[in-house]
C-alpha cells in the first residue's frame, strides 16, 4: 500500500460505513429534517476549520505525517482533514436529529 494514501484509506471506509447505516436505517427521519442538518453543517464547518487550523498551525496539538497524506492543502487544512470535517459534521448532525426525533416520539407515546 502506498503510504501517501494511508490516512485517506483509513478515513473513507469508516465514514462510508457510518453514512450507509444512516441512510439505510434512519433515512425516513432524516429526509424530513434536511433543513436542520444543512443548518448544523453550515454553522459547524467554519468552526471546525478555525479550530483545525489553530490546532495544527498555531498550537501544534497534532500534525500530519507528510508521507501519510496526499499533500493537498485547502485553507490551511489537509484535504483528508477537510473530508473528515465535512463527513463528521454531517454524521453528528444526523445522529443528533435521529436521537432527538426518537426522544420526541417516545414522549408523545407515553
Amino acid at each position: 500500500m502506498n503510504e501517501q494514501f494511508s490516512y485517506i484509506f483509513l478515513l473513507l471506509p469508516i465514514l462510508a460505513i457510518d453514512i450507509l447505516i444512516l441512510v439505510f436505517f434512519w433515512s425516513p427521519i432524516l429526509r424530513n429534517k434536511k433543513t436542520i442538518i444543512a443548518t448544523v453543517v453550515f454553522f459547524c464547518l467554519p468552526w471546525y476549520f478555525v479550530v483545525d487550523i489553530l490546532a495544527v498551525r498555531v498550537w501544534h496539538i497534532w500534525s500530519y505525517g507528510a508521507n501519510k497524506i496526499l499533500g493537498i492543502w485547502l485553507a490551511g487544512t489537509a484535504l483528508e482533514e477537510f473530508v473528515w470535517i465535512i463527513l463528521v459534521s454531517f454524521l453528528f448532525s444526523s445522529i443528533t436529529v435521529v436521537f432527538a426525533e426518537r426522544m420526541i416520539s417516545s414522549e408523545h407515546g407515553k
Side-chain angles (χ1 to χ4, degrees):
M1 180 166 104
N2 188 345
E3 276 192 18
Q4 184 180 14
F5 298 104
S6 60
Y7 184 43
I8 200 87
F9 281 156
L10 289 173
L11 173 70
L12 292 179
I14 293 167
L15 290 172
I17 290 167
D18 293 341
I19 299 297
L20 288 173
I21 290 169
L22 281 172
V23 168
F24 285 117
F25 292 105
W26 296 323
S27 63
I29 294 172
L30 296 176
R31 216 174 284 128
N32 298 327
K33 308 293 184 192
K34 289 178 189 170
T35 304
I36 294 171
I37 293 169
T39 303
V40 170
V41 170
F42 177 76
F43 285 106
C44 285
L45 287 179
W47 171 253
Y48 287 141
F49 282 115
V50 168
V51 170
D52 196 74
I53 290 169
L54 288 173
V56 173
R57 302 282 182 171
V58 177
W59 300 324
H60 305 288
I61 293 173
W62 70 80
S63 63
Y64 306 103
N67 62 334
K68 305 286 185 195
I69 61 173
L70 297 173
I72 300 169
W73 294 80
L74 304 167
T77 302
L79 176 66
E80 294 85 351
E81 190 70 9
F82 185 75
V83 171
W84 172 261
I85 290 170
I86 291 170
L87 293 175
V88 167
S89 299
F90 170 74
L91 179 66
F92 282 113
S93 63
S94 299
I95 289 171
T96 303
V97 166
V98 167
F99 285 126
E101 187 71 22
R102 287 185 175 198
M103 288 177 63
I104 291 169
S105 297
S106 68
E107 289 176 5
H108 288 291
K110 289 183 180 180

